[in-house]
Amino acid sequence: MPENTILGNVTSDVISDQQFEYMRLISQIMQDRKRGDKPVAYIRTYGCQQNVADSERIKGMLEIAGFEFSETVDDADFILFNTCAIREHAEDRVFGNVGALKSLKRKHPQIVIALCGCMEQEHIANKMYKSFPFVSLVFGTHSLHRFPQLLYHTLADGKRVYERDNDDKKVYEGIPVKRDGTFKGWLSIMYGCNNFCTYCIVPYVRGRERSREKSLILDEARQMISAGYKDITLLGQNVNSYGKTLADKPTFAQLLHEIDSIDGDYWLRFMTSHPKDCSKELIDTIANGTHISKHLHLPFQSGSDRILKAMNRHYDRKKYLDIVNYAKEKIDGVSLTSDIIVGFPGETYEDFKETLSLIREVEFTSLFTFIYSPRVGTPAAKMDDPISAEEKSKWFRELLDVQEEIAAKRCASMVNNTEKVLIESETGKNGELSGRTSGNIIVELKGDKSLIGTFQNVKITQARNWILKGELV
Ligand code: 5AD
Ligand code: SF4
């Protein structure tokens, strides 16, 4: 791809050669600064898969700069926290864990401690920069492609580096990736979000929507499939608006279909899909797909039309149920999952009951449930919020109970089925493995660990709440 291609109103650039030169320079500096035989990095990732994918690119750059990776901070020369700002709880955890590094830095002053990610793109960055003088490097999500340069300056100049770049009109290609998994992997197809749901900080910290060029996504998918990836998840804050910033305006359904046409034994998933623009074309593509898993993660957030309006979601309960019913009709055995917020400002128990009734009607496989957390700078944070935290927790537990019942019923209906399962790990119990169905349901079974990373047919023998038990066929 030529450098600086104009893609609608967004430009696509290739990471500059200069950044590779910085990786080489870092590798030289680290020869004198490392504590052990080789420079070691510890990367801790909070939050969503987009952050996990960003950390994999940071690791890709660090690997070229000669780093090995550790699961603990104890022997690390470089410590990075890739932070999440979506809820207060995520932020508190980062504050606690970074604070705990103070004594390590005192003992080994040559260690570089860095913070990046969504918190760094937010007002909170200043607070962190001031609260943690032992943190030498702070950068936001738009500066990832310049990470080698920033780290080089931190190391070479001995000064603290604080970078917040707000340029969200670019997509950077060619950043090296070191994926965490060998058979499950993430593939980013777009960045940013234009939806401005009133509770959500993401559009402020990740900037405007921008899509990667289709041919480059297809190349990366081919590479992953030939490298043996069996479960590939396409990532974007709202994959349904994929293509809008590209010159020829491909739809997400077209992209999905073209990836699905690549030969191989793999599953294709995607997240997240906004109900406002989840098209019938997309559901038909899933229904007719060869590799696309029969799983649709479609966050509805609330079952009450009044609250959906206040959330700025641009769909109502009826529209949501219409899509779900179309998906159930077209995709045999479709597994539906969703995100829900309990206790949005102004939500009443009557509104909450609408959420419960929607859950009962749809019968989701599983849910990601959250209590509303005010985020400074979002419209919802300024709305009246009279319901107490205790009351919201009570509603939340009620929601979990209802979902547990539904998931158990759904799982029980699968007993005696034979399911294709991707074996993922050992459970820790003797000789037991854990895997997932195409619908993303956990299955536990007896088997040898050499099966990890392979597809197996498994007869479901038992359902324990939301976990299935099975036997190799
Ligand atoms: N409070 C609680 N949950 C939130 N989410 C996003 N912002 C907030 C917030 N302020 C949830 C939504 C979204 C998921 C990724 O996180 O349900 O779909
Ligand atoms: Fe946040 Fe809404 Fe964008 Fe999802 S679609 S990232 S909830 S603003």
Side-chain angles (χ1 to χ4, degrees):
M1 189 188 67
E3 277 188 40
N4 264 327
T5 321
I6 304 290
L7 305 169
N9 53 1
V10 172
T11 48
S12 177
D13 268 6
V14 177
I15 177 180
S16 72
D17 291 345
Q18 206 193 2
Q19 297 303 324
F20 285 91
E21 179 57 18
Y22 282 120
M23 294 177 215
R24 199 184 60 75
L25 293 172
I26 293 168
S27 135
Q28 277 177 2
I29 295 178
M30 287 313 297
Q31 290 314 311
D32 299 327
R33 281 185 72 141
K34 63 184 193 290
R35 291 196 279 152
D37 295 340
K38 281 203 136 203
V40 173
Y42 168 85
I43 314 294
R44 170 100 187 246
T45 310
Y46 297 83
C48 67
Q49 279 74 22
Q50 199 67 62
N51 260 14
V52 174
D54 284 352
S55 288
E56 290 183 343
R57 293 195 293 164
I58 290 169
K59 285 183 194 165
M61 294 185 263
L62 286 170
E63 189 172 48
I64 293 181
F67 279 85
E68 288 188 344
F69 298 92
S70 166
E71 295 298 314
T72 71
V73 292
D74 302 338
D75 54 348
D77 302 294
F78 176 62
I79 298 172
L80 175 75
F81 284 67
N82 188 359
T83 63
C84 171
I86 199 127
R87 282 170 292 273
E88 197 179 355
H89 176 66
E91 285 188 350
D92 290 347
R93 277 173 54 213
V94 172
F95 270 104
N97 290 329
V98 175
L101 294 177
K102 195 173 171 181
S103 58
L104 188 73
K105 174 77 180 180
R106 200 178 295 131
K107 211 158 133 202
H108 305 286
Q110 78 270 41
I111 295 176
V112 172
I113 300 175
L115 299 173
C116 70
C118 292
M119 278 171 87
E120 308 327 317
Q121 205 65 42
E122 215 202 331
H123 69 284
I124 206 100
N126 282 322
K127 185 173 159 201
M128 297 195 77
Y129 190 72
K130 287 193 191 116
S131 319
F132 302 124
F134 53 90
V135 170
S136 345
L137 168 61
V138 175
F139 61 99
T141 56
H142 302 312
S143 309
L144 201 72
H145 62 286
R146 300 200 320 117
F147 164 66
Q149 184 174 1
L150 301 174
L151 179 56
Y152 169 76
H153 282 298
T154 315
L155 290 165
D157 306 346
K159 290 195 196 122
R160 299 178 81 196
V161 173
Y162 177 17
E163 160 106 358
R164 279 175 79 192
D165 181 351
N166 284 321
D167 183 4
D168 58 1
K169 292 276 177 289
K170 286 213 169 93
V171 171
Y172 284 93
E173 297 292 349
I175 301 180
V177 183
K178 179 176 164 48
R179 294 187 202 279
D180 292 337
T182 53
F183 56 88
K184 274 181 91 155
W186 315 109
L187 204 180
S188 295
I189 64 163
M190 59 191 298
Y191 309 99
C193 179
N194 286 357
N195 293 307
F196 290 94
C197 301
T198 51
Y199 51 81
C200 187
I201 195 74
V202 169
Y204 305 88
V205 294
R206 290 223 167 239
R208 295 296 62 72
E209 226 167 69
R210 51 218 185 271
S211 298
R212 291 181 68 196
E213 224 187 308
K214 196 167 68 173
S215 62
L216 297 176
I217 299 171
L218 284 162
D219 285 348
E220 194 169 342
R222 272 186 217 103
Q223 281 161 16
M224 289 177 79
I225 293 161
S226 56
Y229 281 87
K230 296 276 183 285
D231 190 327
I232 299 172
T233 304
L234 308 179
L235 285 185
Q237 302 300 343
N238 174 18
V239 294
N240 293 337
S241 47
Y242 172 76
K244 287 186 181 158
T245 58
L246 298 177
D248 51 351
K249 310 271 183 273
T251 64
F252 177 59
Q254 286 161 356
L255 172 73
L256 193 63
H257 174 67
E258 286 190 38
I259 301 177
D260 184 43
S261 308
I262 303 171
D263 283 339
D265 191 16
Y266 63 93
W267 279 339
L268 200 52
R269 304 179 190 278
F270 54 89
M271 68 190 306
T272 286
S273 211
H274 195 308
K276 81 175 162 53
D277 43 20
C278 178
S279 64
K280 288 193 170 170
E281 182 199 9
L282 174 61
I283 289 169
D284 294 341
T285 306
I286 303 172
N288 301 325
T290 311
H291 306 97
I292 309 170
S293 62
K294 310 295 180 212
H295 172 201
L296 188 56
H297 181 67
L298 200 62
F300 73 88
Q301 313 295 359
S302 167
S304 151
D305 284 345
R306 199 178 69 81
I307 297 299
L308 285 173
K309 204 162 182 0
M311 287 176 163
N312 193 33
R313 291 290 287 177
H314 294 284
Y315 56 86
D316 58 15
R317 181 188 175 95
K318 180 176 177 310
K319 174 160 185 210
Y320 185 84
L321 288 170
D322 284 349
I323 308 168
V324 161
N325 289 333
Y326 187 74
K328 283 181 174 172
E329 181 194 321
K330 294 282 168 170
I331 310 168
D332 197 24
V334 66
S335 167
L336 292 151
T337 57
S338 196
D339 295 349
I340 295 173
I341 297 179
V342 173
F344 182 82
E347 182 172 338
T348 61
Y349 188 66
E350 290 306 306
D351 294 312
F352 171 69
K353 279 205 303 204
E354 297 268 297
T355 296
L356 289 183
S357 82
L358 195 140
I359 293 170
R360 288 205 171 92
E361 189 164 344
V362 177
E363 300 197 315
F364 292 96
T365 311
S366 59
L367 293 175
F368 297 90
T369 46
F370 310 101
I371 294 185
Y372 169 72
S373 170
R375 305 285 66 208
V376 173
T378 62
K382 296 193 203 90
M383 296 178 188
D384 269 356
D385 191 3
I387 303 291
S388 68
E390 292 72 35
E391 186 67 10
K392 290 184 184 185
S393 298
K394 221 166 83 190
W395 299 358
F396 186 74
R397 281 193 302 276
E398 194 176 343
L399 178 81
L400 297 186
D401 288 346
V402 171
Q403 178 54 27
E404 201 168 303
E405 205 182 285
I406 294 166
K409 188 173 135 206
R410 221 196 116 83
C411 281
S413 75
M414 293 174 76
V415 173
N416 292 327
N417 289 2
T418 296
E419 296 279 336
K420 184 172 172 178
V421 172
L422 178 61
I423 310 293
E424 294 186 345
S425 58
E426 292 179 279
T427 59
K429 287 174 241 158
N430 204 10
E432 240 190 40
L433 303 171
S434 174
R436 273 174 202 268
T437 65
S438 155
N440 220 22
I441 302 175
I442 297 173
V443 184
E444 292 180 347
L445 62 147
K446 287 246 180 285
D448 189 81
K449 64 177 184 207
S450 62
L451 297 178
I452 293 172
T454 66
F455 286 117
Q456 298 295 327
N457 287 322
V458 176
K459 167 119 192 253
I460 307 303
T461 52
Q462 211 186 333
R464 286 213 191 129
N465 295 330
W466 56 89
I467 294 181
L468 299 170
K469 296 268 174 188
E471 289 167 357
L472 288 169
V473 172

